[in-house]
């Protein structure tokens, strides 16, 4: 038997365990890629790591990816740094552009050509900002569109719920 056969056998054991235990383990909170995390929780009896170790690695990997995205976006990086250093900020796009330009932040020329262009770049950065822990709020105040950026409350990592009877039926796949 080759190494490929060993891997195939291990993979089949993992799938069989997950199917046999489907719905027996409930995650206290559903992380990103919840179906995959639930599959791993159901297969944990044949895996060499605990579900908490797996969820920790999954969250650490996601955090590294988000950090790489923030670092590669000069606007997202500048806004996050501003909020981390000075706390919540609120104002118009023109105010934000002036605030960031007056600071030590280096924004690319393409991002700061004009307020409208800068506003587009800020909106493009919102998903990355939210993923990195920055709340983004936009509303009209006195006829002006106002942005608010603040630090989100920290949430704990998802963990396996304590064994209790299922409070809702197991998920079923469609198709």
């Amino acid at each position: 038997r080759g190494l490929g056969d060993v891997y195939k056998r291990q993979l089949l054991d993992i799938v069989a365990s997950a199917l046999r235990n489907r719905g027996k383990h409930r995650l206290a909170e559903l992380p990103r890629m919840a179906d995959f995390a639930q599959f791993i929780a159901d297969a944990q009896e044949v895996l060499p790591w605990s579900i908490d170790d797996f969820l920790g690695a999954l969250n650490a990997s996601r955090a590294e990816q988000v950090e790489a995205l923030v670092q590669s976006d000069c606007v997202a990086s500048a806004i996050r740094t501003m909020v981390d250093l000075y706390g919540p900020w609120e104002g118009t796009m023109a105010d934000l552009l002036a605030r960031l330009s007056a600071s030590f932040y280096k924004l690319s020329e393409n991002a700061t050509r004009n307020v409208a262009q800068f506003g587009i770049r800020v909106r493009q950065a919102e998903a990355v900002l939210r993923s990195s822990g920055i709340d983004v709020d936009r509303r009209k105040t006195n006829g002006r569109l106002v942005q608010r950026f603040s630090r989100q409350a920290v949430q704990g990592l998802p963990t396996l719920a304590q064994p209790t009877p299922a409070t809702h039926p197991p998920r079923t796949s469609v198709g």
Side-chain angles (χ1 to χ4, degrees):
R1 292 176 11 146
L3 189 57
D5 291 334
V6 171
Y7 289 138
K8 288 177 191 173
R9 174 67 187 185
Q10 288 175 334
L11 182 58
L12 289 174
D13 287 344
I14 292 167
V15 171
S17 176
L19 291 174
R20 182 174 49 255
N21 295 313
R22 188 173 185 186
K24 288 184 181 177
H25 304 97
R26 292 277 176 220
L27 297 173
E29 295 178 30
L30 295 178
R32 302 267 305 163
M33 297 176 38
D35 290 337
F36 181 60
Q38 186 62 57
F39 176 87
I40 296 298
D42 290 339
Q44 68 181 327
E45 69 186 24
V46 297
L47 294 172
W49 58 78
S50 73
I51 187 62
D52 290 335
D53 289 343
F54 168 77
L55 291 172
L58 184 68
N59 286 320
S61 174
R62 182 168 186 272
E64 288 172 10
Q65 292 167 5
V66 167
E67 184 60 25
L69 285 170
V70 170
Q71 292 301 319
S72 69
D73 185 324
C74 64
V75 172
S77 180
I79 292 171
R80 187 181 69 177
T81 301
M82 178 187 70
V83 170
D84 286 344
L85 289 175
Y86 305 112
W89 183 91
E90 186 173 304
T92 65
M93 282 296 172
D95 297 337
L96 180 61
L97 180 57
R99 173 69 174 102
L100 295 178
S101 296
S103 298
F104 57 90
Y105 306 112
K106 291 186 178 181
L107 299 174
S108 76
E109 194 174 303
N110 290 337
T112 60
R113 204 171 286 155
N114 59 49
V115 174
Q117 184 69 30
F118 179 69
I120 291 169
R121 290 287 286 114
V122 169
R123 283 187 287 286
Q124 290 171 341
E126 285 180 5
V128 172
L129 286 167
R130 285 186 181 102
S131 294
S132 72
I134 301 295
D135 274 328
V136 180
D137 182 38
R138 185 181 305 120
R139 66 183 185 286
K140 283 237 178 192
T141 302
N142 298 328
R144 299 178 346 157
L145 187 59
V146 173
Q147 313 289 321
R148 178 174 168 77
F149 300 96
S150 59
R151 182 53 77 182
Q152 294 173 359
V154 177
Q155 296 179 348
L157 298 176
T159 59
L160 192 62
Q162 295 300 319
T164 57
T167 56
H168 55 286
R171 283 187 237 133
T172 58
S173 60
V174 177

